[in-house]
Structures are given as C-alpha cells and as structure tokens.
Amino acid sequence: MPNFKNSRTAEDIKREITAILRDLKDPRIDKMLTVIRADLSGDMSFCKVYVSSFEGLERAKESVKGLKSAEGFIKRELFHRLKLRKAPSLVFIADNSTEISAEISKKLNDLL
C-alpha cells in the first residue's frame, strides 16, 4: 500500500527546494535549474533530489557541486518552511531529462 504522507511530503520538498533555489547566490548554480523529482525514503530521513538544466548535463553537474556546498542552508530552510520533525539528508543528482524533452519538442515542431 502506498504511503501517501511520504509522497505528499516529497512533493512539498520538491516545491520548497524549487523556491529556495531562487534565493541561492552561488555562481555555480544555474539560474535555469529545474527540480525534476524528489525521492524520499520510507522513514523520511533521506531524500534524493534530481535536478536538470536547460544548458545540458555538464551544467547540471556543475550546479550539483554548488548545491552540495549549500546543502546545510537548504536543509535548514526546509526544516523551517515545512515544520518537519527532522529534516532529511539531501543528495542532489544531475539529470538530463529537461535537455531530452527540449530536443523532443524541437523535433516535433520541425515535423509540423
């Protein structure tokens, strides 16, 4: 049986991390960075956050380095914004799904 609280909290984490990314001033973090999804563990102590950039996978990997250095700030902000009992440990993973979807969209537009 699916854990609805877990999936709802994962969506809240995704939404809040997206908002927190706008406040970060690290030059390594891409301004067009998109949070694709957040996978929260069953005990809510560990969260994998998948991020993607319009500029490609290499730019997303560079942004992940900046996000890792800002992990403490992001974790603290999540704790305060979501009123969690315990803030989950965050792991940021670069993903190229936004780049792939942009390529598919371009190919579809070329067909028309």
Side-chain angles (χ1 to χ4, degrees), residues 47-74:
C47 185
K48 292 181 184 177
V49 180
Y50 295 88
V51 294
S52 182
S53 175
F54 284 114
E55 296 179 12
L57 185 60
E58 292 304 316
R59 185 69 175 130
K61 287 181 181 178
E62 181 69 25
S63 295
V64 165
K65 291 177 185 175
L67 290 171
K68 283 182 182 177
S69 67
E71 180 184 355
F73 172 76
I74 296 170

Side-chain angles (χ1 to χ4, degrees), residues 26-111:
D26 192 335
R28 294 177 290 182
I29 300 172
D30 187 18
K31 296 297 180 193
M32 297 296 289
L33 198 66
T34 306
V35 178
I36 302 299
R37 76 174 192 260
D39 290 338
L40 194 59
S41 65
D43 61 352
M44 296 186 184
S45 64
F46 186 76
C47 185
K48 292 181 184 177
V49 180
Y50 295 88
V51 294
S52 182
S53 175
F54 284 114
E55 296 179 12
L57 185 60
E58 292 304 316
R59 185 69 175 130
K61 287 181 181 178
E62 181 69 25
S63 295
V64 165
K65 291 177 185 175
L67 290 171
K68 283 182 182 177
S69 67
E71 180 184 355
F73 172 76
I74 296 170
K75 190 174 177 178
R76 180 177 54 91
E77 284 294 313
L78 276 176
F79 179 75
H80 289 299
R81 291 182 183 198
L82 295 178
K83 308 284 192 259
L84 297 171
R85 193 175 281 188
K86 179 185 173 198
S89 297
L90 301 173
V91 174
F92 296 98
I93 301 169
D95 192 14
N96 65 344
S97 60
T98 303
E99 182 183 13
I100 292 171
S101 64
E103 288 176 14
I104 291 171
S105 178
K106 182 178 182 261
K107 288 179 183 180
L108 288 175
N109 285 334
D110 290 345
L111 288 175

Side-chain angles (χ1 to χ4, degrees), residues 1-10 40-44:
M1 181 170 172
N3 188 346
F4 295 110
K5 181 179 182 193
N6 193 332
S7 61
R8 193 171 58 238
T9 305
L40 194 59
S41 65
D43 61 352
M44 296 186 184

